[in-house]
Every structure is written in C-alpha cells, then in structure tokens.
Amino acid sequence: MTTSRSRGALARLAALPAAGVALLVAVLVTTVAFAPPSDADTTWSVVPANADGPDGRSVIDLELAGGQQAVEHVAVINRSTQPVDFTIDANDGYLTSKGYFDMRPSDAKPADGGSWIAVPEKVTIAAGATSVVPVTVSIPQNATPGDHPAGVTASLETVSGQVRVQNRVGVRLNIRVTGDYVAKVAVTGVRAEYTGSWNPFAAGSVEVTYTVANAGNVRLVADNRVLTSTFVGENNWSDPSAAKTRELMPGGSRTFVARVAGAWPLGPIGTTVTVIPSPAGRPIPGVTAQRMAVGTTVWALPWPQLALLVLLVLAPFAIRLVAAWRRRRIKKLIMLHGKGTPQEA
C-alpha cells in the first residue's frame, strides 16, 4: 500500500475486476499528516493482517451468521521517524455519488455494520514499527441478512491555527450476514432527449438519463445497455467505462447518462434501458439477479431534411422565375436601345 500526502478525508480506490465477476474492493489508502508537536512529516499505512502481520489482502471479507463472532486484524505501520499515538475507530461504510467507498465521520455514531466492530481506542507505535490491532466483529442475533459495509481507521488529529484536522487511514470490511440473499435492481427516472444536427446528411444522438437502485440486500455491479430504434434500424450503447464495475450497496442508487449516436430524426425513437446485475465480490451460489428493462419514447422531427426537401422542390421554380426576369429585362433594354438616339444609345 503506497502513501500520499493529504489533508482530506479518506482516499478511495477504484473498482477492480476479478474471476470474471466485477469485483469492487475499495480500500482506504494511506494519507500523510503533520504530526504534533514537531514539524516532521508523519506517514502511516493501515492494511489487513493476521495475528503475525500484514497478510497481503486489500480488503477484509467476512460471512457470518447472526450471533456469530470473528476476530480479524489490521496492521498499522508507522513510517515516520518518531513515535505516534493513533486513535482507532470503526464506523459504517457507504458509497459516494461516483461509486467510491467512504466511511462515516468518526464523530457520527455507527448504526449498522460499524456498530458490530470492537477495536482498541488508542495505539502507540514506535518510529518505523508496526502494530497489529485486533478487530472483533460480533453479529447481532437478529441481524438482517445481506451486506453491511464498514471500515476500521487509524487517525491522527492536527491543529493548524484555529482549524483542527483529522487525518484517517483505514481498511474496508465487507460484512455479509448469512440468510436469504436477494439480488435485485430497479430502474427508474428514464428520460430521453434527442439532439439533432443541422446537417441534413448527418444523424443526431439520443441522450438517455436513468437511475439504477439496488433493491436487494447484497452488493451488486451492473452492466448497463441502451438500445434506440427507429423505422430505419437500431443503435446499441453499452457502458465502456470503469463506472459499470463500481458496486451498488443495498438501498443505494446511482444515476447514469448515456449518449447514443447515429439516430435519424424520423418520428418516434424507442429507447430501452437494460440493466444486467450480478453480485459483487465472490459469487453467491444459487443467487441470480434478474435483468431489468425499461423503455421510453422520444419524438424527433426531421427539420433539416424537410428544409432540404423544400429547397429541392422550390429550386426549379426559382430558376424559372429568375430566367423569366432576365428575359424581360433584356427585352426592355433592347426596346429602349431601339427608340433612343445614337448619343443616348
């Protein structure tokens, strides 16, 4: 795990694919703080571990039944040249609007998976040393089946003038409570808007906005596809970005915008949004998420093409009118030349 200098909150790690299944393993990455009271830089890392030290994982995955308990570990590595007192805390995890993992602030009381985690409040680590911190996860007997994201952080507070800054570094925990798993998505708010081209020989595009919500109780990733159809054919769009592999937490949602090119304005354009979900992380035997398809229609009138057609229809008449006008003018000039004097001519 690499270090970086920051005064912001938790850093995020983008989605990672694995074993043919889009797997998001967002990890809270190391930040750098100014350690009081000296001006020397204090840097540290927090990584998953076993009782002996870092074990190479990037995230902690747990699957437990209600009433069960498990002890995990995180390693806090002090990379500075002085001893540091770190504050250890656990809290609920969530996804930002862009699909990155983050944690609730340390002063917010955990209400879900974070409340099931017990960690020591403080740990003092010598310069250049590593401390293995036990993380005890106790699942309530009546816990709801499904995924309950959480995280554990090691933090350090600094004061700059009148501003107090808390720098948090941590590890994500994917806590899954066994039971009846439900993998389901809902597609809402589908809107389509046509943007035409003033070039009558160029097609326009359809911009489609839609929201995908996780209506189940397990983490999901979604493969989104958009199909537009007119009288002359169909156009497909699939999300080419890494955004499609970022997960959706139970109860969470994300809004997507797709632009489908090659749509000709020939009246109604049918638009269908299809979302193909699959469980995030390790496959869940016997659980299959059904795809959802929602359609809408947008009208696109061929104004540039109609204008071109009108011009083509009127052009012969305009040419004939101009030609007749020129003939009349020439005839008038000849008549005036014939009646006038040589000097006038």
Side-chain angles (χ1 to χ4, degrees), residues 300-335:
L301 297 178
W303 296 118
Q305 291 76 11
L306 289 175
L308 177 62
L309 180 61
V310 170
L311 289 175
L312 293 176
V313 171
L314 295 179
F317 296 99
I319 293 173
R320 292 178 62 182
L321 288 174
V322 171
W325 177 80
R326 292 185 63 184
R327 285 195 299 269
R328 289 194 301 269
R329 181 173 176 80
I330 293 172
K331 184 177 180 180
K332 184 178 180 180
L333 290 174
I334 292 174
M335 292 176 64

PDB file of all heavy atoms in Angstrom, residues 300-335:
ATOM      1  N   ALA A 300     -38.541  12.840 -32.660  1.00  0.00           N
ATOM      2  CA  ALA A 300     -37.528  13.631 -33.356  1.00  0.00           C
ATOM      3  C   ALA A 300     -38.030  13.927 -34.764  1.00  0.00           C
ATOM      4  O   ALA A 300     -38.188  13.010 -35.578  1.00  0.00           O
ATOM      5  CB  ALA A 300     -36.198  12.877 -33.404  1.00  0.00           C
ATOM      6  N   LEU A 301     -38.323  15.195 -35.063  1.00  0.00           N
ATOM      7  CA  LEU A 301     -38.819  15.587 -36.374  1.00  0.00           C
ATOM      8  C   LEU A 301     -37.655  16.001 -37.275  1.00  0.00           C
ATOM      9  O   LEU A 301     -36.747  16.720 -36.837  1.00  0.00           O
ATOM     10  CB  LEU A 301     -39.816  16.734 -36.244  1.00  0.00           C
ATOM     11  CG  LEU A 301     -41.083  16.392 -35.450  1.00  0.00           C
ATOM     12  CD1 LEU A 301     -41.978  17.601 -35.340  1.00  0.00           C
ATOM     13  CD2 LEU A 301     -41.814  15.217 -36.093  1.00  0.00           C
ATOM     14  N   PRO A 302     -37.694  15.602 -38.530  1.00  0.00           N
ATOM     15  CA  PRO A 302     -36.552  15.839 -39.446  1.00  0.00           C
ATOM     16  C   PRO A 302     -36.569  17.242 -40.046  1.00  0.00           C
ATOM     17  O   PRO A 302     -36.703  17.408 -41.273  1.00  0.00           O
ATOM     18  CB  PRO A 302     -36.752  14.756 -40.508  1.00  0.00           C
ATOM     19  CG  PRO A 302     -38.240  14.573 -40.570  1.00  0.00           C
ATOM     20  CD  PRO A 302     -38.735  14.772 -39.169  1.00  0.00           C
ATOM     21  N   TRP A 303     -36.410  18.268 -39.229  1.00  0.00           N
ATOM     22  CA  TRP A 303     -36.471  19.633 -39.749  1.00  0.00           C
ATOM     23  C   TRP A 303     -35.391  19.914 -40.788  1.00  0.00           C
ATOM     24  O   TRP A 303     -35.710  20.507 -41.835  1.00  0.00           O
ATOM     25  CB  TRP A 303     -36.378  20.631 -38.597  1.00  0.00           C
ATOM     26  CG  TRP A 303     -37.525  20.553 -37.634  1.00  0.00           C
ATOM     27  CD1 TRP A 303     -37.479  20.242 -36.312  1.00  0.00           C
ATOM     28  CD2 TRP A 303     -38.908  20.800 -37.925  1.00  0.00           C
ATOM     29  NE1 TRP A 303     -38.726  20.256 -35.748  1.00  0.00           N
ATOM     30  CE2 TRP A 303     -39.628  20.602 -36.723  1.00  0.00           C
ATOM     31  CE3 TRP A 303     -39.605  21.141 -39.078  1.00  0.00           C
ATOM     32  CZ2 TRP A 303     -41.006  20.754 -36.644  1.00  0.00           C
ATOM     33  CZ3 TRP A 303     -40.984  21.302 -38.999  1.00  0.00           C
ATOM     34  CH2 TRP A 303     -41.665  21.111 -37.804  1.00  0.00           C
ATOM     35  N   PRO A 304     -34.127  19.583 -40.580  1.00  0.00           N
ATOM     36  CA  PRO A 304     -33.127  19.852 -41.623  1.00  0.00           C
ATOM     37  C   PRO A 304     -33.443  19.125 -42.930  1.00  0.00           C
ATOM     38  O   PRO A 304     -33.269  19.679 -44.022  1.00  0.00           O
ATOM     39  CB  PRO A 304     -31.816  19.349 -41.004  1.00  0.00           C
ATOM     40  CG  PRO A 304     -32.060  19.364 -39.540  1.00  0.00           C
ATOM     41  CD  PRO A 304     -33.495  19.014 -39.376  1.00  0.00           C
ATOM     42  N   GLN A 305     -33.898  17.875 -42.833  1.00  0.00           N
ATOM     43  CA  GLN A 305     -34.222  17.130 -44.037  1.00  0.00           C
ATOM     44  C   GLN A 305     -35.437  17.729 -44.750  1.00  0.00           C
ATOM     45  O   GLN A 305     -35.475  17.792 -45.982  1.00  0.00           O
ATOM     46  CB  GLN A 305     -34.483  15.656 -43.686  1.00  0.00           C
ATOM     47  CG  GLN A 305     -33.250  14.878 -43.246  1.00  0.00           C
ATOM     48  CD  GLN A 305     -32.807  15.182 -41.818  1.00  0.00           C
ATOM     49  OE1 GLN A 305     -33.530  15.827 -41.069  1.00  0.00           O
ATOM     50  NE2 GLN A 305     -31.619  14.725 -41.448  1.00  0.00           N
ATOM     51  N   LEU A 306     -36.434  18.192 -43.961  1.00  0.00           N
ATOM     52  CA  LEU A 306     -37.605  18.824 -44.574  1.00  0.00           C
ATOM     53  C   LEU A 306     -37.213  20.136 -45.255  1.00  0.00           C
ATOM     54  O   LEU A 306     -37.719  20.464 -46.345  1.00  0.00           O
ATOM     55  CB  LEU A 306     -38.666  19.081 -43.498  1.00  0.00           C
ATOM     56  CG  LEU A 306     -39.369  17.840 -42.942  1.00  0.00           C
ATOM     57  CD1 LEU A 306     -40.311  18.234 -41.808  1.00  0.00           C
ATOM     58  CD2 LEU A 306     -40.145  17.115 -44.042  1.00  0.00           C
ATOM     59  N   ALA A 307     -36.318  20.899 -44.607  1.00  0.00           N
ATOM     60  CA  ALA A 307     -35.859  22.145 -45.218  1.00  0.00           C
ATOM     61  C   ALA A 307     -35.139  21.868 -46.531  1.00  0.00           C
ATOM     62  O   ALA A 307     -35.330  22.585 -47.528  1.00  0.00           O
ATOM     63  CB  ALA A 307     -34.938  22.883 -44.250  1.00  0.00           C
ATOM     64  N   LEU A 308     -34.310  20.828 -46.552  1.00  0.00           N
ATOM     65  CA  LEU A 308     -33.614  20.465 -47.789  1.00  0.00           C
ATOM     66  C   LEU A 308     -34.608  20.045 -48.869  1.00  0.00           C
ATOM     67  O   LEU A 308     -34.478  20.422 -50.048  1.00  0.00           O
ATOM     68  CB  LEU A 308     -32.621  19.333 -47.518  1.00  0.00           C
ATOM     69  CG  LEU A 308     -31.875  18.789 -48.735  1.00  0.00           C
ATOM     70  CD1 LEU A 308     -31.025  19.882 -49.363  1.00  0.00           C
ATOM     71  CD2 LEU A 308     -31.016  17.593 -48.335  1.00  0.00           C
ATOM     72  N   LEU A 309     -35.641  19.311 -48.495  1.00  0.00           N
ATOM     73  CA  LEU A 309     -36.650  18.874 -49.462  1.00  0.00           C
ATOM     74  C   LEU A 309     -37.400  20.067 -50.036  1.00  0.00           C
ATOM     75  O   LEU A 309     -37.656  20.127 -51.259  1.00  0.00           O
ATOM     76  CB  LEU A 309     -37.623  17.914 -48.774  1.00  0.00           C
ATOM     77  CG  LEU A 309     -38.764  17.363 -49.649  1.00  0.00           C
ATOM     78  CD1 LEU A 309     -38.192  16.566 -50.809  1.00  0.00           C
ATOM     79  CD2 LEU A 309     -39.702  16.508 -48.811  1.00  0.00           C
ATOM     80  N   VAL A 310     -37.743  21.027 -49.166  1.00  0.00           N
ATOM     81  CA  VAL A 310     -38.433  22.223 -49.653  1.00  0.00           C
ATOM     82  C   VAL A 310     -37.553  22.986 -50.637  1.00  0.00           C
ATOM     83  O   VAL A 310     -38.027  23.465 -51.686  1.00  0.00           O
ATOM     84  CB  VAL A 310     -38.833  23.110 -48.456  1.00  0.00           C
ATOM     85  CG1 VAL A 310     -39.326  24.472 -48.942  1.00  0.00           C
ATOM     86  CG2 VAL A 310     -39.896  22.427 -47.626  1.00  0.00           C
ATOM     87  N   LEU A 311     -36.266  23.100 -50.321  1.00  0.00           N
ATOM     88  CA  LEU A 311     -35.351  23.789 -51.230  1.00  0.00           C
ATOM     89  C   LEU A 311     -35.270  23.076 -52.574  1.00  0.00           C
ATOM     90  O   LEU A 311     -35.255  23.728 -53.634  1.00  0.00           O
ATOM     91  CB  LEU A 311     -33.964  23.887 -50.595  1.00  0.00           C
ATOM     92  CG  LEU A 311     -33.815  24.859 -49.423  1.00  0.00           C
ATOM     93  CD1 LEU A 311     -32.416  24.762 -48.829  1.00  0.00           C
ATOM     94  CD2 LEU A 311     -34.100  26.285 -49.864  1.00  0.00           C
ATOM     95  N   LEU A 312     -35.211  21.743 -52.545  1.00  0.00           N
ATOM     96  CA  LEU A 312     -35.134  20.991 -53.797  1.00  0.00           C
ATOM     97  C   LEU A 312     -36.411  21.162 -54.623  1.00  0.00           C
ATOM     98  O   LEU A 312     -36.360  21.218 -55.860  1.00  0.00           O
ATOM     99  CB  LEU A 312     -34.881  19.507 -53.498  1.00  0.00           C
ATOM    100  CG  LEU A 312     -33.519  19.174 -52.883  1.00  0.00           C
ATOM    101  CD1 LEU A 312     -33.436  17.690 -52.553  1.00  0.00           C
ATOM    102  CD2 LEU A 312     -32.396  19.564 -53.843  1.00  0.00           C
ATOM    103  N   VAL A 313     -37.561  21.250 -53.938  1.00  0.00           N
ATOM    104  CA  VAL A 313     -38.825  21.411 -54.658  1.00  0.00           C
ATOM    105  C   VAL A 313     -38.947  22.818 -55.241  1.00  0.00           C
ATOM    106  O   VAL A 313     -39.421  23.012 -56.372  1.00  0.00           O
ATOM    107  CB  VAL A 313     -40.010  21.101 -53.725  1.00  0.00           C
ATOM    108  CG1 VAL A 313     -41.331  21.486 -54.387  1.00  0.00           C
ATOM    109  CG2 VAL A 313     -40.009  19.631 -53.352  1.00  0.00           C
ATOM    110  N   LEU A 314     -38.528  23.825 -54.491  1.00  0.00           N
ATOM    111  CA  LEU A 314     -38.675  25.207 -54.930  1.00  0.00           C
ATOM    112  C   LEU A 314     -37.586  25.656 -55.885  1.00  0.00           C
ATOM    113  O   LEU A 314     -37.768  26.667 -56.588  1.00  0.00           O
ATOM    114  CB  LEU A 314     -38.699  26.139 -53.708  1.00  0.00           C
ATOM    115  CG  LEU A 314     -39.879  25.982 -52.751  1.00  0.00           C
ATOM    116  CD1 LEU A 314     -39.743  26.955 -51.600  1.00  0.00           C
ATOM    117  CD2 LEU A 314     -41.197  26.186 -53.476  1.00  0.00           C
ATOM    118  N   ALA A 315     -36.466  24.949 -55.907  1.00  0.00           N
ATOM    119  CA  ALA A 315     -35.343  25.380 -56.738  1.00  0.00           C
ATOM    120  C   ALA A 315     -35.720  25.522 -58.215  1.00  0.00           C
ATOM    121  O   ALA A 315     -35.386  26.535 -58.842  1.00  0.00           O
ATOM    122  CB  ALA A 315     -34.167  24.428 -56.554  1.00  0.00           C
ATOM    123  N   PRO A 316     -36.416  24.550 -58.858  1.00  0.00           N
ATOM    124  CA  PRO A 316     -36.769  24.722 -60.283  1.00  0.00           C
ATOM    125  C   PRO A 316     -37.642  25.945 -60.527  1.00  0.00           C
ATOM    126  O   PRO A 316     -37.455  26.662 -61.515  1.00  0.00           O
ATOM    127  CB  PRO A 316     -37.509  23.423 -60.611  1.00  0.00           C
ATOM    128  CG  PRO A 316     -37.014  22.437 -59.618  1.00  0.00           C
ATOM    129  CD  PRO A 316     -36.799  23.232 -58.374  1.00  0.00           C
ATOM    130  N   PHE A 317     -38.607  26.180 -59.610  1.00  0.00           N
ATOM    131  CA  PHE A 317     -39.455  27.359 -59.774  1.00  0.00           C
ATOM    132  C   PHE A 317     -38.642  28.639 -59.647  1.00  0.00           C
ATOM    133  O   PHE A 317     -38.859  29.604 -60.388  1.00  0.00           O
ATOM    134  CB  PHE A 317     -40.575  27.334 -58.740  1.00  0.00           C
ATOM    135  CG  PHE A 317     -41.525  26.190 -58.903  1.00  0.00           C
ATOM    136  CD1 PHE A 317     -41.400  25.050 -58.131  1.00  0.00           C
ATOM    137  CD2 PHE A 317     -42.547  26.240 -59.848  1.00  0.00           C
ATOM    138  CE1 PHE A 317     -42.275  23.986 -58.285  1.00  0.00           C
ATOM    139  CE2 PHE A 317     -43.429  25.184 -60.004  1.00  0.00           C
ATOM    140  CZ  PHE A 317     -43.289  24.045 -59.226  1.00  0.00           C
ATOM    141  N   ALA A 318     -37.702  28.659 -58.681  1.00  0.00           N
ATOM    142  CA  ALA A 318     -36.868  29.847 -58.518  1.00  0.00           C
ATOM    143  C   ALA A 318     -36.007  30.082 -59.741  1.00  0.00           C
ATOM    144  O   ALA A 318     -35.842  31.229 -60.195  1.00  0.00           O
ATOM    145  CB  ALA A 318     -35.987  29.680 -57.267  1.00  0.00           C
ATOM    146  N   ILE A 319     -35.474  29.013 -60.327  1.00  0.00           N
ATOM    147  CA  ILE A 319     -34.647  29.152 -61.538  1.00  0.00           C
ATOM    148  C   ILE A 319     -35.475  29.692 -62.696  1.00  0.00           C
ATOM    149  O   ILE A 319     -35.039  30.578 -63.452  1.00  0.00           O
ATOM    150  CB  ILE A 319     -34.011  27.801 -61.884  1.00  0.00           C
ATOM    151  CG1 ILE A 319     -32.992  27.395 -60.795  1.00  0.00           C
ATOM    152  CG2 ILE A 319     -33.336  27.854 -63.246  1.00  0.00           C
ATOM    153  CD1 ILE A 319     -32.428  26.012 -60.964  1.00  0.00           C
ATOM    154  N   ARG A 320     -36.698  29.182 -62.848  1.00  0.00           N
ATOM    155  CA  ARG A 320     -37.572  29.661 -63.924  1.00  0.00           C
ATOM    156  C   ARG A 320     -37.947  31.115 -63.731  1.00  0.00           C
ATOM    157  O   ARG A 320     -37.984  31.899 -64.693  1.00  0.00           O
ATOM    158  CB  ARG A 320     -38.821  28.790 -63.991  1.00  0.00           C
ATOM    159  CG  ARG A 320     -38.551  27.363 -64.457  1.00  0.00           C
ATOM    160  CD  ARG A 320     -39.808  26.524 -64.453  1.00  0.00           C
ATOM    161  NE  ARG A 320     -40.802  27.079 -65.395  1.00  0.00           N
ATOM    162  CZ  ARG A 320     -42.015  26.550 -65.555  1.00  0.00           C
ATOM    163  NH1 ARG A 320     -42.369  25.475 -64.842  1.00  0.00           N
ATOM    164  NH2 ARG A 320     -42.863  27.081 -66.420  1.00  0.00           N
ATOM    165  N   LEU A 321     -38.225  31.516 -62.488  1.00  0.00           N
ATOM    166  CA  LEU A 321     -38.559  32.904 -62.220  1.00  0.00           C
ATOM    167  C   LEU A 321     -37.395  33.820 -62.526  1.00  0.00           C
ATOM    168  O   LEU A 321     -37.571  34.903 -63.128  1.00  0.00           O
ATOM    169  CB  LEU A 321     -38.986  33.062 -60.755  1.00  0.00           C
ATOM    170  CG  LEU A 321     -40.349  32.480 -60.377  1.00  0.00           C
ATOM    171  CD1 LEU A 321     -40.573  32.580 -58.875  1.00  0.00           C
ATOM    172  CD2 LEU A 321     -41.467  33.215 -61.126  1.00  0.00           C
ATOM    173  N   VAL A 322     -36.191  33.429 -62.143  1.00  0.00           N
ATOM    174  CA  VAL A 322     -35.007  34.257 -62.417  1.00  0.00           C
ATOM    175  C   VAL A 322     -34.772  34.361 -63.918  1.00  0.00           C
ATOM    176  O   VAL A 322     -34.457  35.444 -64.464  1.00  0.00           O
ATOM    177  CB  VAL A 322     -33.781  33.680 -61.690  1.00  0.00           C
ATOM    178  CG1 VAL A 322     -32.514  34.388 -62.137  1.00  0.00           C
ATOM    179  CG2 VAL A 322     -33.943  33.807 -60.186  1.00  0.00           C
ATOM    180  N   ALA A 323     -34.927  33.223 -64.601  1.00  0.00           N
ATOM    181  CA  ALA A 323     -34.721  33.243 -66.055  1.00  0.00           C
ATOM    182  C   ALA A 323     -35.743  34.136 -66.742  1.00  0.00           C
ATOM    183  O   ALA A 323     -35.415  34.913 -67.656  1.00  0.00           O
ATOM    184  CB  ALA A 323     -34.799  31.820 -66.600  1.00  0.00           C
ATOM    185  N   ALA A 324     -37.012  34.076 -66.327  1.00  0.00           N
ATOM    186  CA  ALA A 324     -38.047  34.936 -66.924  1.00  0.00           C
ATOM    187  C   ALA A 324     -37.764  36.396 -66.640  1.00  0.00           C
ATOM    188  O   ALA A 324     -37.952  37.264 -67.522  1.00  0.00           O
ATOM    189  CB  ALA A 324     -39.411  34.525 -66.371  1.00  0.00           C
ATOM    190  N   TRP A 325     -37.330  36.701 -65.436  1.00  0.00           N
ATOM    191  CA  TRP A 325     -36.999  38.078 -65.092  1.00  0.00           C
ATOM    192  C   TRP A 325     -35.863  38.601 -65.943  1.00  0.00           C
ATOM    193  O   TRP A 325     -35.901  39.740 -66.429  1.00  0.00           O
ATOM    194  CB  TRP A 325     -36.640  38.144 -63.613  1.00  0.00           C
ATOM    195  CG  TRP A 325     -36.209  39.518 -63.177  1.00  0.00           C
ATOM    196  CD1 TRP A 325     -37.003  40.575 -62.875  1.00  0.00           C
ATOM    197  CD2 TRP A 325     -34.861  39.979 -63.024  1.00  0.00           C
ATOM    198  NE1 TRP A 325     -36.267  41.668 -62.528  1.00  0.00           N
ATOM    199  CE2 TRP A 325     -34.928  41.328 -62.610  1.00  0.00           C
ATOM    200  CE3 TRP A 325     -33.612  39.384 -63.203  1.00  0.00           C
ATOM    201  CZ2 TRP A 325     -33.770  42.093 -62.378  1.00  0.00           C
ATOM    202  CZ3 TRP A 325     -32.488  40.132 -62.968  1.00  0.00           C
ATOM    203  CH2 TRP A 325     -32.564  41.463 -62.555  1.00  0.00           C
ATOM    204  N   ARG A 326     -34.855  37.801 -66.200  1.00  0.00           N
ATOM    205  CA  ARG A 326     -33.715  38.217 -67.031  1.00  0.00           C
ATOM    206  C   ARG A 326     -34.154  38.432 -68.465  1.00  0.00           C
ATOM    207  O   ARG A 326     -33.717  39.387 -69.127  1.00  0.00           O
ATOM    208  CB  ARG A 326     -32.611  37.166 -66.951  1.00  0.00           C
ATOM    209  CG  ARG A 326     -31.939  37.057 -65.578  1.00  0.00           C
ATOM    210  CD  ARG A 326     -30.781  36.097 -65.605  1.00  0.00           C
ATOM    211  NE  ARG A 326     -29.742  36.561 -66.518  1.00  0.00           N
ATOM    212  CZ  ARG A 326     -28.643  35.861 -66.801  1.00  0.00           C
ATOM    213  NH1 ARG A 326     -28.489  34.643 -66.272  1.00  0.00           N
ATOM    214  NH2 ARG A 326     -27.745  36.350 -67.621  1.00  0.00           N
ATOM    215  N   ARG A 327     -35.043  37.564 -68.957  1.00  0.00           N
ATOM    216  CA  ARG A 327     -35.506  37.748 -70.337  1.00  0.00           C
ATOM    217  C   ARG A 327     -36.287  39.050 -70.481  1.00  0.00           C
ATOM    218  O   ARG A 327     -36.120  39.795 -71.465  1.00  0.00           O
ATOM    219  CB  ARG A 327     -36.381  36.563 -70.743  1.00  0.00           C
ATOM    220  CG  ARG A 327     -35.595  35.286 -71.024  1.00  0.00           C
ATOM    221  CD  ARG A 327     -36.467  34.267 -71.772  1.00  0.00           C
ATOM    222  NE  ARG A 327     -37.623  33.878 -70.991  1.00  0.00           N
ATOM    223  CZ  ARG A 327     -37.639  32.849 -70.155  1.00  0.00           C
ATOM    224  NH1 ARG A 327     -36.542  32.133 -69.967  1.00  0.00           N
ATOM    225  NH2 ARG A 327     -38.734  32.546 -69.501  1.00  0.00           N
ATOM    226  N   ARG A 328     -37.133  39.355 -69.505  1.00  0.00           N
ATOM    227  CA  ARG A 328     -37.888  40.595 -69.560  1.00  0.00           C
ATOM    228  C   ARG A 328     -36.969  41.811 -69.496  1.00  0.00           C
ATOM    229  O   ARG A 328     -37.174  42.807 -70.195  1.00  0.00           O
ATOM    230  CB  ARG A 328     -38.904  40.642 -68.423  1.00  0.00           C
ATOM    231  CG  ARG A 328     -40.072  39.672 -68.592  1.00  0.00           C
ATOM    232  CD  ARG A 328     -41.207  40.011 -67.629  1.00  0.00           C
ATOM    233  NE  ARG A 328     -40.796  39.966 -66.237  1.00  0.00           N
ATOM    234  CZ  ARG A 328     -40.869  38.892 -65.474  1.00  0.00           C
ATOM    235  NH1 ARG A 328     -41.327  37.743 -65.998  1.00  0.00           N
ATOM    236  NH2 ARG A 328     -40.484  38.928 -64.217  1.00  0.00           N
ATOM    237  N   ARG A 329     -35.953  41.729 -68.707  1.00  0.00           N
ATOM    238  CA  ARG A 329     -35.024  42.854 -68.581  1.00  0.00           C
ATOM    239  C   ARG A 329     -34.235  43.053 -69.859  1.00  0.00           C
ATOM    240  O   ARG A 329     -34.052  44.201 -70.316  1.00  0.00           O
ATOM    241  CB  ARG A 329     -34.073  42.600 -67.396  1.00  0.00           C
ATOM    242  CG  ARG A 329     -33.079  43.735 -67.183  1.00  0.00           C
ATOM    243  CD  ARG A 329     -32.300  43.502 -65.897  1.00  0.00           C
ATOM    244  NE  ARG A 329     -31.285  44.534 -65.742  1.00  0.00           N
ATOM    245  CZ  ARG A 329     -31.511  45.755 -65.290  1.00  0.00           C
ATOM    246  NH1 ARG A 329     -32.739  46.111 -64.962  1.00  0.00           N
ATOM    247  NH2 ARG A 329     -30.521  46.627 -65.160  1.00  0.00           N
ATOM    248  N   ILE A 330     -33.782  41.977 -70.446  1.00  0.00           N
ATOM    249  CA  ILE A 330     -33.041  42.093 -71.707  1.00  0.00           C
ATOM    250  C   ILE A 330     -33.938  42.672 -72.796  1.00  0.00           C
ATOM    251  O   ILE A 330     -33.536  43.537 -73.588  1.00  0.00           O
ATOM    252  CB  ILE A 330     -32.484  40.727 -72.120  1.00  0.00           C
ATOM    253  CG1 ILE A 330     -31.395  40.286 -71.112  1.00  0.00           C
ATOM    254  CG2 ILE A 330     -31.928  40.754 -73.538  1.00  0.00           C
ATOM    255  CD1 ILE A 330     -30.910  38.873 -71.324  1.00  0.00           C
ATOM    256  N   LYS A 331     -35.185  42.191 -72.856  1.00  0.00           N
ATOM    257  CA  LYS A 331     -36.133  42.694 -73.860  1.00  0.00           C
ATOM    258  C   LYS A 331     -36.374  44.187 -73.671  1.00  0.00           C
ATOM    259  O   LYS A 331     -36.441  44.962 -74.644  1.00  0.00           O
ATOM    260  CB  LYS A 331     -37.430  41.909 -73.751  1.00  0.00           C
ATOM    261  CG  LYS A 331     -38.447  42.275 -74.818  1.00  0.00           C
ATOM    262  CD  LYS A 331     -39.677  41.393 -74.665  1.00  0.00           C
ATOM    263  CE  LYS A 331     -40.697  41.762 -75.749  1.00  0.00           C
ATOM    264  NZ  LYS A 331     -41.921  40.906 -75.629  1.00  0.00           N
ATOM    265  N   LYS A 332     -36.519  44.626 -72.448  1.00  0.00           N
ATOM    266  CA  LYS A 332     -36.738  46.037 -72.163  1.00  0.00           C
ATOM    267  C   LYS A 332     -35.543  46.871 -72.582  1.00  0.00           C
ATOM    268  O   LYS A 332     -35.689  47.979 -73.148  1.00  0.00           O
ATOM    269  CB  LYS A 332     -37.027  46.198 -70.669  1.00  0.00           C
ATOM    270  CG  LYS A 332     -37.365  47.626 -70.270  1.00  0.00           C
ATOM    271  CD  LYS A 332     -37.695  47.679 -68.786  1.00  0.00           C
ATOM    272  CE  LYS A 332     -38.038  49.117 -68.374  1.00  0.00           C
ATOM    273  NZ  LYS A 332     -38.354  49.199 -66.926  1.00  0.00           N
ATOM    274  N   LEU A 333     -34.342  46.395 -72.312  1.00  0.00           N
ATOM    275  CA  LEU A 333     -33.143  47.128 -72.711  1.00  0.00           C
ATOM    276  C   LEU A 333     -33.040  47.247 -74.219  1.00  0.00           C
ATOM    277  O   LEU A 333     -32.639  48.286 -74.759  1.00  0.00           O
ATOM    278  CB  LEU A 333     -31.901  46.434 -72.137  1.00  0.00           C
ATOM    279  CG  LEU A 333     -31.717  46.522 -70.613  1.00  0.00           C
ATOM    280  CD1 LEU A 333     -30.535  45.671 -70.188  1.00  0.00           C
ATOM    281  CD2 LEU A 333     -31.519  47.966 -70.180  1.00  0.00           C
ATOM    282  N   ILE A 334     -33.416  46.164 -74.935  1.00  0.00           N
ATOM    283  CA  ILE A 334     -33.358  46.211 -76.411  1.00  0.00           C
ATOM    284  C   ILE A 334     -34.355  47.243 -76.944  1.00  0.00           C
ATOM    285  O   ILE A 334     -34.052  48.018 -77.856  1.00  0.00           O
ATOM    286  CB  ILE A 334     -33.648  44.813 -76.986  1.00  0.00           C
ATOM    287  CG1 ILE A 334     -32.488  43.871 -76.621  1.00  0.00           C
ATOM    288  CG2 ILE A 334     -33.852  44.873 -78.487  1.00  0.00           C
ATOM    289  CD1 ILE A 334     -32.732  42.438 -77.017  1.00  0.00           C
ATOM    290  N   MET A 335     -35.558  47.250 -76.351  1.00  0.00           N
ATOM    291  CA  MET A 335     -36.564  48.205 -76.801  1.00  0.00           C
ATOM    292  C   MET A 335     -36.116  49.635 -76.527  1.00  0.00           C
ATOM    293  O   MET A 335     -36.282  50.521 -77.383  1.00  0.00           O
ATOM    294  CB  MET A 335     -37.893  47.922 -76.092  1.00  0.00           C
ATOM    295  CG  MET A 335     -38.541  46.609 -76.512  1.00  0.00           C
ATOM    296  SD  MET A 335     -40.041  46.256 -75.573  1.00  0.00           S
ATOM    297  CE  MET A 335     -41.054  47.634 -76.126  1.00  0.00           C
TER     298      MET A 335
END
